[in-house]
Amino acid sequence: MVKSGRMESRVLLILCNLAWSPDGRHAMWDSGGVEVLLGLLRRSDFKSESTQDVCVSVLHGLSHGGLRFKGLARAAGAVEVLMQVEKTGSERTKEKVRRIFNMMTETRMEKEDVNWEEVLEDSGSTPCRFGGGKDGLSTNA
């Protein structure tokens, strides 16, 4: 629908909402949505500034997918396209582009509050047992 150019702004608004849900994000990744959206930005013949902003908003929603988005975006040449949009877009659009760049360049290291050495040391002393509780499983299961 985006490629057809019909009702472009309305379709982009729907995609923007979908991009912020995990299922919608996966569906757009699987259907080549990142490449289509970047192609739309590459054309840059938007009827309004708000349409460009919504297109970038969809990409921003899709960027919350971590490594999958990074791979799809790099393969589609996102850096060059988004750099051009950052030069010509509104302040609001520029901010979203910067957020996308941050998502693409950051390396996420989840901080764990688990002391794995302690867990491994203790694991040998408490075996898992089945059949101990009233539901058929012990608390260790």
Side-chain angles (χ1 to χ4, degrees):
M1 291 178 77
V2 171
K3 287 180 182 179
S4 74
R6 293 187 201 118
M7 299 187 310
E8 189 174 78
S9 60
R10 290 182 183 181
V11 172
L12 286 171
L13 285 173
I14 293 167
L15 292 177
C16 189
N17 286 320
L18 288 172
W20 289 96
S21 75
D23 291 338
R25 201 168 21 248
H26 287 281
M28 282 193 271
W29 291 336
D30 292 344
S31 66
V34 173
E35 187 175 347
V36 169
L37 292 164
L38 289 168
L40 190 61
L41 287 172
R42 208 175 265 119
R43 273 193 356 227
S44 70
D45 60 349
F46 292 102
K47 295 175 180 107
S48 72
E49 192 176 271
S50 65
T51 304
Q52 181 186 39
D53 184 58
V54 175
C55 187
V56 172
S57 294
V58 176
L59 284 169
H60 183 235
L62 293 174
S63 73
H64 285 77
L67 292 176
R68 178 110 189 254
F69 174 79
K70 289 177 187 182
L72 293 169
R74 287 196 175 116
V79 174
E80 297 82 18
V81 175
L82 292 173
M83 286 176 71
Q84 185 61 36
V85 171
E86 190 176 27
K87 291 177 188 173
T88 61
S90 68
E91 283 304 313
R92 183 174 159 163
T93 302
K94 290 176 183 181
E95 179 58 33
K96 289 176 189 171
V97 169
R98 286 190 282 271
R99 289 180 186 172
I100 294 169
F101 281 144
N102 285 341
M103 294 293 279
M104 288 178 69
T105 58
E106 78 178 8
T107 55
R108 290 188 177 187
M109 297 292 286
E110 299 296 325
K111 184 179 178 192
E112 295 182 347
D113 293 331
V114 177
N115 182 345
W116 287 106
E117 290 178 11
E118 185 177 304
V119 170
L120 291 172
E121 287 174 10
D122 289 344
S123 66
S125 62
T126 311
C128 293
R129 292 176 294 236
F130 291 84
K134 60 183 171 181
D135 61 354
L137 299 174
S138 72
T139 56
N140 290 339

